[in-house]
Amino acid sequence: RKSDFLLAPPFWSKISEEAKDFVQQCLRGTPERRLSVAEALHHPWIQSLADTSPSGSMLNSFAVNLRRFYRTSLIEGFAASSLAAELTVAETNELLARCRDADANKTGFVTSTDLRQVLLSLNHGDVAEAIVACISTAKMLRYPGESYIDYVALLESTRLRRERIFEEELWRRFLDFAAASPPGAASTVGIAESGRLQAACMQDFLQAPSVPQLFVRAGVDDAAAALRASAEVLLGPGACIGGSGSAGGAEQADFLDVASELLRRLPLVGQEHRGGGSGRRPQPSPVSM
């Protein structure tokens, strides 16, 4: 059975290395490589828990914590999708600053109630009320206790969703550009399957009005300069956006390379490290939130 998995941020960013090692050893692909029950009980992470845990059965407390975790994951997933769709990068930075202010003890967490209040204070009432509706749905499952939100992980998840939305929209515009080309044009034949264009044609795509507009919507201050820099990276030093230059390097350019380069130019949220997008070619369908 396939056992490939990643313990990637933001979801595992606050999990200890010992806990990650325990999970990895328990999920190895073949039984002989997995921890036995006896080995699991002697793993350093389990031993450290045993040293600090009260005596007696912990099943009930584990069950409650799992329910709280599940409810919190519902809220975080819904909140990240809502924030990615509604907030600009500048507004997301302001949200991060307000969450840090609300986090008086600097734990890295705020309650779901705090998050709602912060959103209301920033005049994002629609997003706040949508999150309240999600919380109410979770409470219908009778999971006790307040939900604590890792706000840095939440905003990192928001960034990933925003990048996905950007890629989806860029792919749609990529296909629209190919569809508007002369029928049978060799440079655009099979674009939906290959995602590749001749370099000169890709240069035309990058300077089509829809691409700078997408950059501006994503919060890039100088879209023209960012596109010029991207064209040089993708197409070689002879490429020129907004002028009469021609591609001086690559003969063809792939959409995934274009998307990765453009995503690299998007503004950051806070000081968190950022990647280059999902690495998957989006499908030309509406973004599902």
Side-chain angles (χ1 to χ4, degrees):
R1 181 175 296 179
K2 185 176 181 181
S3 60
D4 294 336
F5 58 90
L6 293 174
L7 305 182
F11 310 105
W12 290 83
S13 57
K14 291 184 178 291
I15 306 301
S16 71
E17 292 304 316
E18 283 189 343
K20 291 177 185 176
D21 180 71
F22 178 78
V23 170
Q24 289 171 326
Q25 293 198 52
C26 287
L27 295 180
R28 285 174 175 167
T30 55
E32 58 271 15
R33 296 183 62 237
R34 286 182 218 132
L35 291 178
S36 67
V37 173
E39 289 170 336
L41 290 173
H42 287 88
H43 188 277
W45 183 62
I46 296 296
Q47 289 295 306
S48 68
L49 289 178
D51 291 341
T52 57
S53 298
S55 59
S57 174
M58 297 183 65
L59 179 60
N60 288 338
S61 63
F62 278 147
V64 169
N65 284 334
L66 284 172
R67 289 168 181 158
R68 288 176 178 169
F69 177 82
Y70 176 65
R71 184 179 69 180
T72 299
S73 69
L74 291 178
I75 295 169
E76 287 183 344
F78 181 84
S81 294
S82 299
L83 296 173
E86 300 295 334
L87 271 62
T88 66
V89 172
E91 290 169 334
T92 306
N93 276 318
E94 180 62 22
L95 175 60
L96 175 60
R98 296 289 184 92
C99 284
R100 284 174 171 161
D101 290 341
D103 178 18
N105 295 322
K106 307 306 176 189
T107 61
F109 291 83
V110 294
T111 67
S112 53
T113 303
D114 289 335
L115 178 62
R116 175 178 179 270
Q117 292 301 320
V118 168
L119 287 167
L120 287 172
S121 72
L122 293 172
N123 298 316
H124 296 301
D126 290 345
V127 178
E129 295 312 316
I131 292 173
V132 168
C134 179
I135 294 171
S136 299
T137 300
K139 285 183 176 178
M140 289 173 63
L141 301 174
R142 298 181 180 178
Y143 295 169
E146 177 69 275
S147 294
Y148 287 85
I149 309 294
D150 180 337
Y151 55 86
V152 173
L154 170 64
L155 295 181
E156 176 70 359
S157 183
T158 299
R159 177 188 67 78
L160 294 173
R161 283 166 166 79
R162 185 182 288 116
E163 288 189 352
R164 182 61 177 171
I165 292 171
F166 181 93
E167 285 180 293
E168 291 272 2
E169 185 60 31
L170 186 66
W171 178 243
R172 281 194 287 270
R173 296 181 185 206
F174 193 68
L175 292 181
D176 289 344
F177 173 81
S181 299
S187 58
T188 59
V189 170
I191 185 175
E193 292 76 25
S194 70
R196 298 183 68 82
L197 278 176
Q198 294 294 326
C201 200
M202 184 67 78
Q203 185 172 332
D204 291 339
F205 167 68
L206 290 174
Q207 58 187 336
S210 62
V211 177
Q213 289 168 5
L214 189 59
F215 249 27
V216 171
R217 277 175 44 193
V220 177
D221 291 331
D222 191 340
L227 284 170
R228 283 195 298 271
S230 295
E232 292 222 351
V233 171
L234 292 163
L235 306 174
C240 179
I241 298 297
S244 58
S246 60
E251 294 182 359
Q252 284 193 327
D254 187 279
F255 173 81
L256 290 180
D257 295 331
V258 173
S260 180
E261 174 59 27
L262 297 188
L263 284 166
R264 195 172 67 84
R265 305 286 174 176
L266 298 186
L268 299 172
V269 173
Q271 299 300 316
E272 313 309 322
H273 174 74
R274 61 187 311 284
S278 69
R280 299 184 302 271
R281 180 170 294 119
Q283 297 302 312
S285 58
V287 178
S288 175
M289 300 307 300

